[in-house]
Amino acid sequence: MAFDFGKGAVNPYETAINYCLGIFMLTCVLISTFLNPLILYSYTLRPKSVQNSLFKVIAVSDFLTNLIPGIFVTYWSFTLIDFEYTFLNQLPEFLSCTFGCVSQVTTSLMAVTRMIAIIRPFFNVEFKFVLAYLIFYTIYMGVGNSWDLVLTGLSHSQDNSISAIWSHGTHEHTGTYTTIESLNSLVCFVMNMAHCFLGLLCSFIVVGYLQRITPIEGCAASHARKLKVSHTILIMNIPYIISIISNFLAFYQVVEIDFKLVNHYVLPILTSAYNPCVIVARTDARKLAIKTAKRELHDWNEARKERKKKWTVPSCQIVTSQVVLTDFVHNDKRIFMG
């Protein structure tokens, strides 16, 4: 597989580039597959809140973003086979784009809800409204990506050309299909840019606000904890600066490069491995999960020992039973003989 999916001139370093890409993708898959279930498990043990629920959504979406698409890109990188836009080959791209965008909007919602909780603490943000927007956005991205990726992959499977999602004006057909496709691409581009800008803006506002105010006497530890959480959310939003630049260049075709590999695979897979690393490094998710797992393992062992004790007959009872049985036999013989 060429780094640009077969588009452009032949690069003498193409094999080395693809091997490096495959190793990088495989590393991201291993990190995401191991850490995201750990984060999901640790946050299910915490009290219910908007922030904790959003952390669980990020863990699930990052896991789904990385698993199949990451393995798919790793396979095509190591096999060095030219990429063909068929139905099955488009499905990993569908998963990567859909759940990658869900992870992105969830990170932005974390920044927004965090800003409201810090600056307007008496204004309660109910999770049902946040969940409603997440469901709406997931359905929209699922339907939009199904149209652009799966159906486009089917229509282009004959000539092996690239999808028209970013190549405006190159579609062979005209009419309603092209209009809907272009409109969907425009709406998707605007929403992605808005989410990226909103997440970064709210994160910087919260961090600046907490650093500017002086904590009340006796509340220094709580203030430091809030600042650390806000820094964590800011760090999670930082990679979307790259996403803003890449999507802008791709949408307006500023540079004659096919950004499909970067925007639809590399960036979603990268962020889905980056997020759990940040969460594990800056929260107690790892310690809480390991501590709870050890406690549950200990409880399971104790329960197993109790069950074993219940079904094991003590040796003293066995000896007593043998003596009683022997006496019964001897008495029975005496009665029979006499």
Side-chain angles (χ1 to χ4, degrees):
M1 181 197 74
F3 182 80
D4 58 355
F5 288 110
K7 181 181 179 181
V10 177
N11 191 327
Y13 301 102
E14 184 178 287
T15 302
I17 291 174
N18 281 282
Y19 279 143
C20 292
L21 176 65
I23 294 172
F24 177 72
M25 291 290 102
L26 181 60
T27 304
C28 291
V29 170
L30 294 176
I31 292 174
S32 175
T33 305
F34 176 74
L35 292 184
N36 280 311
L38 181 69
I39 293 170
L40 177 63
Y41 174 71
S42 65
Y43 276 92
T44 55
L45 305 174
R46 299 169 183 259
K48 290 184 178 180
S49 66
V50 175
Q51 291 291 317
N52 291 342
S53 299
L54 290 177
F55 271 112
K56 289 188 285 187
V57 173
I58 286 181
V60 173
S61 59
D62 284 343
F63 180 81
L64 295 175
T65 300
N66 213 320
L67 187 60
I68 296 178
I71 295 174
F72 175 78
V73 177
T74 302
Y75 170 77
W76 282 103
S77 298
F78 286 136
T79 55
L80 301 177
I81 301 174
D82 291 336
F83 182 84
E84 296 180 359
Y85 282 91
T86 61
F87 178 80
L88 292 178
N89 289 349
Q90 290 290 78
L91 288 178
E93 188 174 0
F94 165 78
L95 295 173
S96 178
C97 290
T98 302
F99 292 106
C101 289
V102 172
S103 176
Q104 173 191 335
V105 71
T106 306
T107 309
S108 301
L109 288 174
M110 287 178 63
V112 174
T113 54
R114 188 68 182 172
M115 183 187 70
I116 295 174
I118 295 297
I119 299 179
R120 293 290 182 267
F122 296 105
F123 183 81
N124 184 26
V125 179
E126 296 185 14
F127 181 67
K128 62 181 180 181
F129 297 114
V130 179
L131 182 61
Y133 183 77
L134 277 175
I135 293 175
F136 161 75
Y137 187 70
T138 303
I139 294 174
Y140 167 74
M141 293 305 300
V143 173
N145 288 332
S146 296
W147 179 271
D148 275 331
L149 303 179
V150 179
L151 297 182
T152 305
L154 285 173
S155 64
H156 286 243
S157 60
Q158 298 298 325
D159 57 1
N160 197 28
S161 60
I162 66 168
S163 170
I165 183 170
W166 294 116
S167 304
H168 302 287
T170 62
H171 204 290
E172 295 178 0
H173 304 285
T174 59
T176 306
Y177 180 78
T178 306
T179 303
I180 295 176
E181 188 181 42
S182 300
L183 179 61
N184 182 58
S185 298
L186 177 62
V187 174
C188 181
F189 169 76
V190 172
M191 294 183 74
N192 284 337
M193 294 297 98
H195 291 148
C196 292
F197 275 116
L198 190 62
L200 288 166
L201 178 63
C202 293
S203 298
F204 280 114
I205 289 175
V206 171
V207 171
Y209 176 81
L210 289 175
Q211 288 180 340
R212 190 176 69 253
I213 64 175
T214 303
I216 303 174
E217 185 177 355
C219 299
S222 176
H223 181 81
R225 186 170 58 253
K226 291 179 181 178
L227 187 59
K228 183 178 180 180
V229 174
S230 301
H231 275 127
T232 301
I233 296 175
L234 174 60
I235 294 173
M236 292 174 64
N237 277 277
I238 289 297
Y240 296 117
I241 297 177
I242 304 174
S243 180
I244 291 173
I245 298 173
S246 180
N247 279 280
F248 179 84
L249 294 176
F251 188 82
Y252 289 103
Q253 294 290 299
V254 178
V255 182
E256 291 298 327
I257 297 176
D258 185 7
F259 286 90
K260 195 176 187 66
L261 174 64
V262 177
N263 291 337
H264 293 185
Y265 284 106
V266 175
L267 285 179
I269 293 173
L270 172 62
T271 54
S272 64
Y274 173 80
N275 287 335
C277 291
V278 174
I279 296 172
V280 169
R282 296 188 57 84
T283 66
D284 59 346
R286 175 179 55 85
K287 294 181 180 179
L288 179 62
I290 294 176
K291 182 179 178 181
T292 305
K294 287 182 178 179
R295 184 174 66 248
E296 292 188 356
L297 181 61
H298 178 266
D299 294 342
W300 181 80
N301 285 329
E302 291 296 325
R304 185 173 59 84
K305 290 178 182 178
E306 290 295 329
R307 289 194 300 268
K308 190 175 181 180
K309 284 182 181 180
K310 182 178 179 181
W311 294 104
T312 302
V313 181
S315 58
C316 60
Q317 294 183 9
I318 297 176
V319 174
T320 305
S321 301
Q322 290 176 349
V323 172
V324 172
L325 181 61
T326 304
D327 292 341
F328 175 78
V329 171
H330 285 303
N331 292 334
D332 187 61
K333 285 182 178 180
R334 287 195 297 269
I335 292 173
F336 176 77
M337 294 176 64

